[in-house]
Amino acid sequence: MRGSDAALSQSHQHFPLTGGTHMATVTLPSGLRLFYRERGHGGQTVLLIHGNTASSLWWERVMAHLPGHVRTLAPDLRGCGDSDKPAPPWSIADLAEDVYQFTQAMGVQRCFVVGHSLGGGVAMQLAVAHPDLVERLVLINSAPAEGLVTPPERYAQLEAAVKAPELLKAALALMMPTAPRDEFYQAVLEESVQKSAGALIPNGRALDGMNLVEQVGGLRVPTLILYGRQDGLVTLDMMERTRNQIPGAQLEVWPEVGHSAPVEAPERLAKRLIEFFGIQL
């Protein structure tokens, strides 16, 4: 057994089951330790990639609405949730390579990939770098293919938000304007502030440096772009450009949803994923 294989076989640290979701950590060949949520099992796999200052928790209700005969995996990206928090900087390509190593550690050779916000940028990079892995691609209020540049003067505000939990919670709340204000909503905000705030600026810098316009023009993967119209960050123009840049991509606008469909409309989102992926119920 190779050293990396041995590390993988010994690196799963298991946590209790919560609501049918299995939680664990895995150490990648790079040495990075990623926390993940897993639900269901079967021949088909859905990979869920969260956004900036978020975690796999954001997908919990979507996962609960997907059928049990489909394996669903949602890792915490580096710097977020309960995954390792290495020193920045890092790039979107680095995040995508982490996710690719994660899929290989989990024995996934082909999967449906869903990316939200920053996770959409990671998903596009993953599809470009490892096209054989991605069977179908869904982008939800995604970072556009040309990247998402934060104005330099805005970083001072972001640094202040990282140091002020209530300010950061208020900013995150604007990203999910139609979400029910229930216990799950509060848990999402709390975890984001407590465990993922440190990734806000490094992820912003990564998005500043992202430009996949030329590369996505070579994609041959069926792609669906979902856009919640009540989004104050990602614009419809951005999503229309990305739709035009990915051959054959579809764009679907949800007028009554904001930036964060995984939290705002999880059941509707799960149903749309089942339909687009052709999953049999």
Side-chain angles (χ1 to χ4, degrees), residues 72-240:
T72 309
L73 293 167
D76 289 356
L77 299 177
R78 67 163 72 183
C80 293
D82 288 308
S83 287
D84 280 350
K85 296 171 173 57
W90 55 73
S91 65
I92 296 298
D94 292 331
L95 296 175
E97 184 58 25
D98 292 344
V99 174
Y100 178 70
Q101 287 191 19
F102 169 75
T103 63
Q104 300 312 287
M106 302 305 294
V108 176
Q109 300 305 314
R110 191 126 170 102
C111 59
F112 303 121
V113 178
V114 185
H116 169 233
S117 194
L118 164 102
V122 176
M124 283 186 279
Q125 177 67 57
L126 187 66
V128 165
H130 302 284
D132 291 342
L133 175 70
V134 183
E135 186 169 349
R136 284 179 175 248
L137 178 64
V138 176
L139 308 173
I140 305 165
N141 287 69
S142 170
E146 73 251 24
L148 189 62
V149 176
T150 298
E153 62 275 11
R154 173 78 173 135
Y155 275 106
Q157 295 175 300
L158 296 179
E159 288 172 3
V162 169
K163 298 173 184 176
E166 293 308 312
L167 186 61
L168 184 54
K169 281 185 185 179
L172 286 168
L174 294 175
M175 296 295 101
M176 50 185 92
T178 72
R181 272 30 178 187
D182 56 12
E183 290 183 8
F184 178 70
Y185 170 85
Q186 295 299 333
V188 163
L189 290 183
E190 193 64 34
E191 179 171 281
S192 294
V193 168
Q194 295 297 328
K195 297 182 178 181
S196 302
L200 176 61
I201 291 173
N203 281 339
R205 299 289 188 193
L207 288 170
D208 287 344
M210 169 187 160
N211 190 335
L212 296 172
V213 171
E214 290 188 11
Q215 294 96 316
V216 298
L219 288 178
R220 296 296 180 266
V221 57
T223 302
L224 172 65
I225 302 171
L226 298 176
Y227 179 69
R229 193 70 178 87
Q230 297 184 43
D231 188 341
L233 177 65
V234 175
T235 68
L236 180 58
D237 283 348
M238 292 175 185
M239 294 297 88
E240 288 175 337

Side-chain angles (χ1 to χ4, degrees), residues 13-70:
Q13 177 186 354
H14 295 283
F15 292 80
L17 291 174
T18 302
T21 301
H22 176 68
M23 294 177 281
T25 60
V26 60
T27 301
L28 308 181
S30 65
L32 192 72
R33 186 184 64 96
L34 293 189
F35 175 90
Y36 65 92
R37 284 174 160 80
E38 180 176 12
R39 192 181 182 100
H41 54 85
Q44 294 177 301
T45 299
V46 177
L47 175 67
L48 305 170
I49 308 174
H50 67 75
N52 196 0
T53 326
S55 73
S56 57
L57 178 62
W58 288 51
W59 296 108
E60 183 74 41
R61 286 187 168 171
V62 176
M63 295 172 78
H65 287 295
L66 292 174
H69 63 269
V70 173

